[in-house]
Each structure stands twice: as C-alpha cells, then as structure tokens.
Amino acid sequence: MLRESLDDSDVWICMPDGIRLSARVRMPKDADRYPVPAILEYTPYRKSDVTVARDQHHVWLAAHRYAMVRCDIRGHGDSEGLAEDEYSECELNDAGHVIEWLAEQSWCSGAVGMMGISWGGINALQVAAIRPPGLGAIYTACSTDDRYEDDVHYNGGCLTVENLNWGLRMLVYSLRPPNPQVVGERWREMWRQRLEGAREYAAHWTRHQRRDELWRHGSVRDDCEAIDVPVYAVGGWADGYTNSILRLVVDLKVPVRGLIGPWGHCYPWEGKPGPAIDGLHDMLRWWDHWLKGRDSGLMQEPGLHVWMQEPVVQSTTRKMQSGRWISEPSWPSPNVIEKDWQISDRMLVERSVEAVRSMSGECGNIELVCRPDPLAGSTHGDRCPDGGKAQFPPDQREEDGRSVVLDSTPLSEPLEILGTPYVDLELRVDQPQAHVYLRLNDVAPDQQSSRVTYGVFNLNHRHGHEVPEPLPVGKRFCARIALNDIAHRFEVGHRIRLTIQSGCWPLYWPSPAVVSVGIVNQTGSLTLPVRPMRAETFDPKFRPAPNFPSGPVSTLAPPRRERRLVRDFVTGEVTYENVRDAGRLRHDKSGFEIVERGEERFTVVETEPAAARAESKWVTSMSFGDGTDICVAGECVQTADASDFHIRTHAQVSENGERVWSRTWDDRIPRDFT
C-alpha cells in the first residue's frame, strides 16, 4: 500500500563540469501540488542494485510526506565520471550541488536533509561542514568525525588488516558497470571509462601511516564549528564507529542528539544484537522538527540516549544484549565521575584519583611482561559487526590466558560506567617499535570473562599520530591509552579485569620484530567513567522495530559466513580463514541478479611477525536479465619485512565468461613506525 501512493523514478542531476549524477527519487504523487522536504542519501553503494533490498525505510519516510533521494556518487552505480578516493573534495562539492538542485525543484518545499550510514553517514557530516545552501539538518549513523583514528584504516596508530580488505572491495565496486536499464546505450562507454581509470586503494591508504593531510581532509573533528545545521548521531556499542558520537555531542555548537544502542554496524530498526527499536519513528520526529517546523517534542527531551549493557552469556552469534535505556541531558555529564584502579601486586586496587596521583613518582620493583603470541587477538571477533552473520567475541578466558591479567577484588555493589576508559602505563620494551592491545573484561563468579571494551595503540605514536618516533629501548616511558567508549554494568560479585597483550592479529598488522613489553608494577592505573546508579528521570519509550513487508527482492541463495583457525604446531604457523558470502539476490521487477563473495586468509609465524601475510579475494557476479552477465574479481596480497610493506593487487573483468579487462599493481611502501 505504501508504494502505491508514491512516485518512484530515476533522475539526472547535472554538475557544473557537465558530469551527470543519477538519483532515484521516491515522493508522494501529489508533491508537485503540495511540495515536501527532500532527504538525500549519497553513497557509492549503487542505488539500482546493492541497496535496493534495504530501501524500505525510504518507502516508509516517503509515505510520511518526504521526497527520499538516493544518489550514486560520481563514478559509482549509474552516475557518470570517475571516483577519486573516499570523501574527495569533488565528492563533497557534488553533494552540495545536488542539495541546491533538490531545494529548487517544484516538488520540494525548499528544505533538504541528509542522512546515511557508514560512508553515507560520514559524508553527511563532511557535507554539513561545507555548508551548502538549502541543507537544514543531518542524520548520521555509524560514522566518524576522525578519518584516521576511528575509521577502517588505522586505529590508535595501528594499521588495520581491514584496510586491505576494504581497499579491494572498493576497487571491485568501482569496476562494476552502470545499469543499462537506467543509463541506456551509453552504459558500455561509461564502463570502459571506469576500467581505464581504475585506481588501487589499499596501497594508496597504506602510504599514509601518519595522521597527515589525507586523513585531516574530511575529519570534521578538526573544525566542528564549521557545521552549522542540527546533527543527529546514531550508532551501537558493537560497531567500530561509536567513539565519534560522544565527541560530536561535546564538540558541536549546533543542536545535537546522540543515540547509542547495543547494535553493530546497522540502523536502529535493523539492530543486531537486539533489541532493535523503531528508529524510523524517532527519525521522523527529527525531520518533522527541523524540515517541517513542527514541534514534535523531540528537542525537549534529553540530548543523549544510550543502552546500558548488562552481562550476558557470551556467544559469537548472540541475538540480544540485555540492559536498559538511560538518558543524559548533556555531555560531558555531571552524573559521571572518574575513578581510578592502581596496578599493584598484579591486581587492580581501587584508589581515589588524588591518592593515585600522589604515588605517581613511585616505581615498583617488578615488571609484568607480555610476550608475543601468534594467537593474540584470535578471539576478538569482527572489528565492525554488520549483521546477523557477524562474529562477536566469545568467552575471553582463552584470550586472557595469553595476556598479562590484572583483576580487581569482587565488587561489593554494582558499578556502572559510561564514557571513555583510560589506561596509564609505565612501560619498558626491548625493540624500537611496539603495539599494545588492551581489553577491559567483566569476570563473573563462574569465571566467564566477557569483553566490555578494548583499545589498541601504537606506542611509537605516544606523542601524537602526526609525529611517530622510535621507542627508548630498555628505558622506561609512559603512555596513556584510551579504550573505546562504552556503557556497561558490573554486577555484585563480578571482577573488573584489565588485560594487556603486545599484538592483535589478524585485526591489526604486527610490529616488525618480536617484542616483549614490560609493564612496571605500582605505577600504572585504570581510570573508569563511573555513573552512580540512581532512578532514571526519563524513559525514551522507544517502540519495537517495525516488521517491514519484504521489498521487491528475492533471496535465491542465503548469505553465509565461515571463520576458521588452523595452527601448525610443527612450523609454528597460524592461519585464519574467513568467508563472507552475501548470497544471491534477484530484483523481481527488473530480473537483475547479483552474487557477492569474499574470502580472506591471514597467516603469521610465531617467531616472525614481520612475515605476516594477508590475502583477500572479492568477486561480484551480475546478471542484467537481458543475457548480459558481468563478473568483477579482485585479489590482493599484503606481506611485509622489517622495512617495507609489499602489496600486490590484481583485478579482472569478464563479460559472458570472456575476460575483457585486467590489471595488476605492485607496490612497495616503506614502513613508517607501523
């Protein structure tokens, strides 16, 4: 019934340089007589195929009298031109022109919003910062304000292995042809231009191992005052992009709201692990307030809602996360105070902040040494879980056995935290380069160890991500390490556990040599943001997530996920294998079918961290329903030695089983304290 009341059409939007972007617009049929606000989603994820299955929220909002617009960025999907990089200046300027165009249409009231998740959420923040005329507000989900610190490439100055996987996927995405049913006979010419202009991404991003101009571009954290429209920032504790939400609530000078559920990389109404909520109704109140001028009551409510997580039985495929909603009128909250636990006698000993600081000049006589282990980090799970087939961290007792472990005594009363935990350490290393991987765990009376949050840090970046430097071998030095933001309740009888390791493979690339990290006893501490428990003064009363009718897409083969670990006790080699099979989908109206499959293989040898190897494959097969079948396949291999990274990428394209294009890139990139 919703679709019957809407117009659904593809339109061309011309840029000043003559390049045309393709957009799909859904709006009420009477919008020409009764104009409505427009809401733009602007991504490389192909409006005509990949994102069609998740279009139900566009349909729902359009039925509530909005013009919902999904636009392919330049060089992707059905749009003309070539893509340059993530969030290029051209991409952002194009978005500004699209917004101006929308505001001028006869069916638009002149008010325009921008929304999106992941890439689309990140560029919504960036577009807001360039202030295009007509933009009235944004809704940004699972995004980041800092492209270096909290994106897919680097975390804590450590190079993610996902940088390789994501670079390959984006290469394969950029080589797909436009849809002939949308662009007409020019589709082959447009496709040939994309193939000739193909760019390898993983090596490009690996060349920038410091927080340099590449990453500062588009990192709105550096100039939040540039954003002059209201912002609704949304995410989940299981996501890899959550830290930006609390920062945005603090830093933005405009009306801002924050929402953090228990979810992974998904919208609130798709939330996994649950409970999901009716985030669409919540979003509608946001748009009604800022784009229609209706007082929905939303802005009179507290500005921050978060899910206070409670301990659960650990499962790699858990469906639900117990807890409750809490609210804060502002952030930082006067309801949150810092409490310190000192590292003392291999334990965490609670002390007042003043007492710990008064002891800062003392040095313990023993060092707790974390030594390299090829399995360190193997139980971490996905860095950025994005669906029902994601892997969440299992019981951490196995991982704890590979770590330096520091426990508190059992708690005599519940303890709730909300915000950023910090760890201050005095360290000594036997190599000039080293990383640390820290976990904050909740240990139940039955000894189950649940990961609450974690942090990774390249110790060579202890004076800043712009100025890495060698470590003083054999000498003591200090480092402050932030763990990822979190809300969690520790129950009575549970223990707080801090664990320390010198690596986390295959999430982050290992140091170039075997390194032992000594933690000086008596001088380190764990600082937790404690929120004293009290009766909540506000209940957001989120509705359960709606059950959308199935869209115009059929699942011919279901998605599948596999993850395996093999250890060779003779050679010391450890191999991780990961399969990401998205299944086979058919768009019922057009007959278009798509298959996507990724395979990853990571190997490391116990005594040779510099010899780590990552292999990634990604294949997309597309059938347009007219006898044209396209297959785009890519493979990327990254290795390293003590001085350089080596990245070899190969991509090829076939039409109806015959290869029509291929290219190989070989790159050698100096390691820059990474």
Side-chain angles (χ1 to χ4, degrees), residues 553-559 584-586:
V553 177
S554 297
T555 300
L556 304 183
R584 187 180 190 93
L585 300 178
R586 181 180 64 206

CSV table of all heavy atoms in Angstrom, one decimal, residues 553-559 584-586:
chain,number,residue,atom,x,y,z
A,553,VAL,N,12.7,-7.8,-3.7
A,553,VAL,CA,13.9,-8.6,-3.9
A,553,VAL,C,13.7,-10.0,-3.4
A,553,VAL,O,13.1,-10.2,-2.3
A,553,VAL,CB,15.0,-7.9,-3.1
A,553,VAL,CG1,16.3,-8.8,-3.2
A,553,VAL,CG2,15.3,-6.5,-3.6
A,554,SER,N,14.1,-11.0,-4.1
A,554,SER,CA,14.0,-12.4,-3.7
A,554,SER,C,15.4,-12.9,-3.4
A,554,SER,O,16.4,-12.6,-4.1
A,554,SER,CB,13.4,-13.2,-4.8
A,554,SER,OG,12.1,-12.8,-5.1
A,555,THR,N,15.5,-13.7,-2.3
A,555,THR,CA,16.8,-14.3,-2.0
A,555,THR,C,16.8,-15.7,-2.6
A,555,THR,O,16.1,-16.6,-2.2
A,555,THR,CB,16.9,-14.4,-0.4
A,555,THR,OG1,16.9,-13.1,0.1
A,555,THR,CG2,18.2,-15.1,-0.1
A,556,LEU,N,17.7,-15.9,-3.6
A,556,LEU,CA,17.8,-17.1,-4.3
A,556,LEU,C,18.8,-18.1,-3.6
A,556,LEU,O,18.7,-19.3,-3.7
A,556,LEU,CB,18.3,-16.9,-5.7
A,556,LEU,CG,17.4,-16.0,-6.6
A,556,LEU,CD1,18.0,-15.9,-8.0
A,556,LEU,CD2,16.0,-16.4,-6.6
A,557,ALA,N,19.8,-17.5,-2.9
A,557,ALA,CA,20.7,-18.3,-2.1
A,557,ALA,C,21.0,-17.4,-0.8
A,557,ALA,O,21.4,-16.2,-1.0
A,557,ALA,CB,22.0,-18.6,-2.8
A,558,PRO,N,20.9,-18.0,0.4
A,558,PRO,CA,21.1,-17.2,1.6
A,558,PRO,C,22.5,-16.8,1.8
A,558,PRO,O,23.5,-17.5,1.3
A,558,PRO,CB,20.6,-18.1,2.7
A,558,PRO,CG,20.9,-19.5,2.1
A,558,PRO,CD,20.6,-19.4,0.7
A,559,PRO,N,22.8,-15.7,2.6
A,559,PRO,CA,24.2,-15.4,2.9
A,559,PRO,C,24.8,-16.4,3.8
A,559,PRO,O,24.1,-17.1,4.5
A,559,PRO,CB,24.0,-14.0,3.6
A,559,PRO,CG,22.6,-14.0,4.1
A,559,PRO,CD,21.8,-14.8,3.1
A,584,ARG,N,22.8,-14.9,-3.1
A,584,ARG,CA,22.3,-14.4,-4.4
A,584,ARG,C,21.0,-13.8,-4.3
A,584,ARG,O,20.0,-14.3,-3.7
A,584,ARG,CB,22.3,-15.6,-5.4
A,584,ARG,CG,22.0,-15.2,-6.8
A,584,ARG,CD,21.9,-16.5,-7.7
A,584,ARG,NE,21.9,-16.1,-9.1
A,584,ARG,CZ,22.9,-16.0,-9.9
A,584,ARG,NH1,24.1,-16.2,-9.4
A,584,ARG,NH2,22.8,-15.6,-11.2
A,585,LEU,N,20.9,-12.6,-4.8
A,585,LEU,CA,19.6,-11.8,-4.8
A,585,LEU,C,19.1,-11.5,-6.2
A,585,LEU,O,19.9,-11.3,-7.1
A,585,LEU,CB,19.9,-10.5,-4.0
A,585,LEU,CG,20.3,-10.5,-2.6
A,585,LEU,CD1,20.5,-9.1,-2.1
A,585,LEU,CD2,19.3,-11.3,-1.7
A,586,ARG,N,17.8,-11.5,-6.3
A,586,ARG,CA,17.2,-11.1,-7.6
A,586,ARG,C,16.2,-10.0,-7.4
A,586,ARG,O,15.4,-10.1,-6.4
A,586,ARG,CB,16.5,-12.3,-8.2
A,586,ARG,CG,15.8,-11.9,-9.6
A,586,ARG,CD,15.1,-13.1,-10.2
A,586,ARG,NE,14.0,-13.5,-9.3
A,586,ARG,CZ,13.5,-14.8,-9.3
A,586,ARG,NH1,14.0,-15.7,-10.0
A,586,ARG,NH2,12.5,-15.1,-8.5
